[in-house]
Every structure is written in C-alpha cells, then in structure tokens.
Amino acid sequence: MRMVDLINKKKSVETHTEEEINFIIKGMLDGTIPDYQVSAWLMSICFQGMTFDESAMLTQAMAKSGDMLDLSVLGNNIIDKHSTGGVGDKTTLILVPLLAAAGFPVAKFSGRGLGFTGGTIDKLESIPGFKTSLSNEEFLNQVKEIGAAIASQTANFTPADKKMYELRDVTATVNSIPLIASSVMSKKIASGANIIVLDVKCGSGAFMNTYEEAKKLTETMVEIGKRSNKLMSAVISSMDQPLGNSIGNGIEVFESIQILRNQGAEDLKELCLYLGAAGLVKTAKVKNIEDGKKYLNKFIENGQAYQKFVEMVKYQGGNLEYIENPEKLYETGFAFTLEAEDSGYVEKLDALTAAKASKLLGTGRDKKEDSISYNSGIFLNKKIGDKVYKGDVLAKIFANSVEEGQKARKTLFEAFKLSKQPVAQPDLIIETFGVSS
Ligand code: URA
C-alpha cells in the first residue's frame, strides 16, 4: 500500500477500507508515513469528508493506538459524558459526584483548556493540593473504592489523536466534522464506558457556532458511537450566553459546590440533571428523562452528591478548607462591579465577549505551556430575560490587578445588551438525540 495512492483516493471522494485506515494511523505513529503526507490526507478529508463507516473505523484505529481502559470490573452501566466545551461549562464537576452518589460509578478523563477559560482539569487544580495526574491503576482503584474520579489523560492515551491534532493545528485542518468527531469519540471509546452522553454546544461561545454544524457533529459522533457498540444519548445545548453564573476556574468550582449544596443557577442545574438523566435512561434504571431528573435531584437534596464531591476531593489530595469555604477559591486583591446604565431587560449576554473579558483576567491560555490564573474570574448577577434597574449590579469581576480588572470590565460591558421590552429566557436544550422523554 502506498500513502500517495490513499491521498489520491480520498481526494477523488472514494471510500477507505479498514485496512487502509489502520495502515495510515500505524504509519503516522511509527514514522514510516511522513507528516507532509498525513497533512495532505487530512486536508483532503476537510474537503471531501468521510462516511460514517470510515469515521468509525478511523475512531477505532485512533482509540486503539494507546491505552484502552477496561471498566468492566465496575459493572455494565458505566456512563461517560462529553461536552464540546463552552463558557462557564462546569457540568463535569457536578455530574461526576452526582452520578456516583446515585450508584453509577464514573471514571472521567478530562483535559486542560486552550482558549478563554481553563478545562475541567484546570478548574480542579484551583483547589490547592488536588492531584489530577493519576496512573491508570490509581484511577481505577479510586473509582472502585468511592465511585468517582476525575483525572487528566495519561501519557499513552490516544497517541494518534495527539499526533493528528498537532498536525491539524498547523495545517488549518481542525475544522472538519469527521476529524473532530473521530478525535472526540476516540477518547471516549478508549475511556471504556459503555454509555456515552454528548453535550454539543451551539452558539457564539461554542466550537460550533451554528445549529447546522452542531447537528452534523452530533449525528456523526452518535453514529460513530453506535458502530462501536456504545449506547448513545446526545443533546445540542445553547451557548449563546454563558452557562450558570460564573466564568473562570476557582470560581466555577465555587459555583459547582453551590449546585451540589442545592443552591445556585437554575440553568446549570437543569442541564446537569438532564445530561445525567439521559445517561440513566440507557441503564433502564428510569423510564424517561423526567423520572431520571427527579431521581438524581434527590441526591442533591439529601446532600449525598455534595458529600461525594468532598470524598473525591479528599481522595485526590485537595485541601478541604477550600471546599468548606469555597469563596476562598476566588479571593483576589481587586474586585469591580459592572452596573446597568439604564433600566430594562437583559436581551443579550454574549458568551464569546464574556469569555474574552474573562481571558483578560488570565483565566485561559493560548499555548499549552502558558500559566493560568486560578482565582480570577467573573460572577454574573443577571442573565438573558432578567429585569434590571438602573444601577443594578450586572456582574462582579475578581482580578489580580487594577489594570486587568478595568480592561475586563470594559469588555464585559460590551457583552450585555438591554431592551426596554420584556425578553423571554432562551431555551437551553435545543435538540436531543436518542433520549426518550
Ligand atoms: N476537541 C477534540 O477533542 N478534538 C477536536 O478535534 C476538536 C475539539
């Protein structure tokens, strides 16, 4: 087999066989196929696409390129969830202890963030002492013992995805539905769960800006999962405004703790319960989403989900003083408020602009090596649809310098738009796939 012929094949919109895809992934990793040929092939996929079967074969080859976690010792109702990432998205921090408290163990690999705010791992690292780097053995033992663990991916996890992403990043080939879908799903499949819940974000603060793109990505990931014998549920959720009230790292842990203590933003809680219920429906524990939400909510109300979070933090070495007093997670030297200049209703709270304001506080990174601020961030007091009076505090900004705080405040001002007319609260869940309600 020659790589040049395979590039030509994709360029001519022909379909690859499993053998051909395995040949490419193996050659890419052992160096027998040079980066320039892999790059040309990736570019041809960008233009010509891939069938669902090809995408599933590519996903399998990528998943099997490194360690595959075997979670069968935990039972056969193992739920994993993946969010395509958005502003203020802290659902993993809530869902993992919630499902574990409800009797469904979760072994969750998460990532650091690139862009405006950190990823789940950055957020957890804002808790002093919290250890995110676990060996596969430590990770599994923890889930066996307490039912919940969140850790960063180990060095030999989906190396094919790492290599392909590096090439895609510098060859303008990130933005391809089959490549994104196989990248995400390879990590899900190597993580070993048999039930996968996807939360595909759509809107200004998401990877997928339009509904059409989000739908295509969701369908592709669901089809890949089904071809890999996974039980799949998915939702498309809105990312036109930030999720919940906080944006940052430590401050998002604070808000997660609020939800787990049965306080905090309704939209965030609703999405967590929905995603959890979408997983439970696949276990046959509940009949439908409403039953699943009610079932899970009991574990928030009786404090067991919060206790599970505390147990997980303790197990992973985190300082519990910061969990008991979570305000400490966003203590900074300087705080600013953004007030409404007029009365009205919040018509717009643009997620991307709010994320840019947060980035000015140091909450995100441009390159993997960049350092990140754990304590700075934004707390939104008003969201779309809320009534405001002139002088009301729209948001609070927690900064490590006056200059950063003032710049963030100026940008955040641009994110808000008020209307004189009442504004309806937007739907958070736009569409569902494979979820009976
Ligand atoms: N997230 C991933 O994991 N992979 C991509 O290709 C894009 C986003």
Side-chain angles (χ1 to χ4, degrees):
M1 222 180 283
R2 294 190 323 152
M3 184 61 183
V4 65
D5 299 327
L6 301 183
I7 299 169
N8 226 340
K9 201 169 172 188
K10 191 41 52 201
K11 200 176 92 185
S12 322
V13 211
E14 287 176 53
T15 310
H16 285 310
T17 63
E18 188 173 7
E19 198 191 355
E20 288 168 355
I21 288 179
N22 289 341
F23 171 83
I24 296 169
I25 296 303
K26 184 172 172 298
M28 174 186 76
L29 286 176
D30 68 18
T32 51
I33 301 177
D35 289 356
Y36 54 80
Q37 284 192 308
V38 178
S39 303
W41 178 68
L42 291 169
M43 187 59 87
S44 64
I45 294 172
C46 274
F47 285 118
Q48 311 296 26
M50 273 186 148
T51 65
F52 289 148
D53 283 339
E54 279 179 300
S55 303
M57 290 186 290
L58 175 60
T59 305
Q60 280 292 336
M62 290 164 76
K64 288 176 185 158
S65 67
D67 296 346
M68 301 272 283
L69 229 61
D70 178 5
L71 301 183
S72 56
V73 286
L74 301 172
N76 53 8
N77 279 328
I78 308 303
I79 303 170
D80 195 359
K81 99 75 220 187
H82 178 82
S83 154
T84 57
V87 186
D89 184 0
K90 65 280 285 176
T91 48
T92 295
L93 299 177
I94 299 162
L95 254 182
V96 171
L98 176 57
L99 286 169
F104 295 90
V106 192
K108 180 86 178 91
F109 275 140
S110 288
R112 290 198 166 71
L114 271 187
F116 298 111
T117 54
T120 300
I121 291 299
D122 299 302
K123 290 169 197 176
L124 284 169
E125 285 178 349
S126 69
I127 305 167
F130 193 100
K131 189 175 159 207
T132 56
S133 169
L134 305 177
S135 68
N136 284 342
E137 201 187 345
E138 285 174 315
F139 184 56
L140 266 181
N141 279 343
Q142 181 176 332
V143 184
K144 271 192 234 162
E145 276 189 39
I146 66 165
I150 307 177
S152 51
Q153 291 147 7
T154 47
N156 192 35
F157 188 73
T158 56
D161 177 56
K162 286 194 192 94
K163 175 77 189 173
M164 278 168 76
Y165 200 88
E166 275 166 24
L167 292 176
R168 287 165 61 204
D169 202 23
V170 292
T171 56
T173 54
V174 168
N175 208 358
S176 145
I177 299 276
L179 293 180
I180 298 169
S182 48
S183 164
V184 170
M185 289 303 292
S186 66
K187 287 172 283 207
K188 292 294 103 185
I189 285 160
S191 298
N194 61 317
I195 299 169
I196 298 174
V197 181
L198 301 171
D199 176 16
V200 178
K201 307 281 187 196
C202 165
S204 83
F207 205 47
M208 299 285 119
N209 296 143
T210 67
Y211 165 74
E212 287 72 24
E213 283 176 312
K215 189 173 165 83
K216 259 196 232 158
L217 179 62
T218 312
E219 283 170 350
T220 308
M221 292 196 289
V222 167
E223 290 304 321
I224 290 174
K226 285 184 181 166
R227 283 162 173 75
S228 306
N229 296 323
K230 303 291 175 189
L231 296 171
M232 300 296 300
S233 294
V235 311
I236 297 180
S237 68
S238 170
M239 191 29 75
D240 282 328
Q241 67 174 337
L243 181 63
N245 293 113
S246 62
I247 313 170
N249 292 301
I251 199 165
E252 293 199 27
V253 178
F254 161 81
E255 189 180 15
S256 305
I257 291 171
Q258 274 194 315
I259 297 287
L260 290 165
R261 288 180 179 169
N262 206 17
Q263 303 148 4
E266 271 310 307
D267 63 341
L268 174 58
K269 181 175 177 186
E270 167 64 19
L271 185 60
C272 290
L273 290 177
Y274 199 102
L275 295 173
L280 288 200
V281 166
K282 298 288 174 192
T283 69
K285 172 87 193 170
V286 297
K287 283 200 299 292
N288 55 39
I289 290 289
E290 280 317 306
D291 284 356
K293 280 172 28 186
K294 273 194 212 130
Y295 181 75
L296 288 175
N297 198 30
K298 281 195 303 208
F299 294 90
I300 293 183
E301 283 176 350
N302 67 16
Q304 289 183 23
Y306 172 67
Q307 282 312 326
K308 190 53 75 179
F309 181 76
V310 172
E311 210 178 340
M312 185 180 79
V313 172
K314 190 169 171 207
Y315 208 103
Q316 293 187 235
N319 184 340
L320 292 184
E321 216 184 298
Y322 287 78
I323 307 305
E324 282 149 24
N325 306 290
E327 300 76 19
K328 285 167 86 78
L329 291 164
Y330 61 94
E331 264 172 12
T332 53
F334 307 92
F336 298 82
T337 53
L338 177 69
E339 286 98 13
E341 292 188 342
D342 213 342
S343 296
Y345 298 84
V346 179
E347 183 184 357
K348 200 167 175 195
L349 169 47
D350 185 60
L352 180 61
T353 314
K356 285 181 180 165
S358 179
K359 175 86 184 326
L360 290 167
L361 300 167
T363 59
R365 55 167 82 78
D366 295 315
K367 298 187 297 307
K368 274 206 308 263
E369 311 70 51
D370 292 347
S371 62
I372 198 164
S373 160
Y374 291 126
N375 59 349
S376 55
I378 294 171
F379 197 87
L380 302 162
N381 291 41
K382 301 286 178 190
K383 302 220 14 203
I384 296 178
D386 286 348
K387 169 121 188 80
V388 298
Y389 295 96
K390 188 174 173 179
D392 274 358
V393 174
L394 297 173
K396 289 199 188 103
I397 294 150
F398 300 91
N400 286 309
S401 78
V402 172
E403 196 194 349
E404 279 179 4
Q406 283 175 341
K407 276 193 194 157
R409 187 178 181 280
K410 194 159 171 263
T411 300
L412 192 59
F413 176 79
E414 306 291 331
F416 278 96
K417 188 172 167 210
L418 300 188
S419 151
K420 284 286 173 207
Q421 306 306 321
V423 176
Q425 288 196 346
D427 287 336
L428 180 57
I429 293 171
I430 300 169
E431 194 167 343
T432 63
F433 299 75
V435 176
S436 51
S437 54

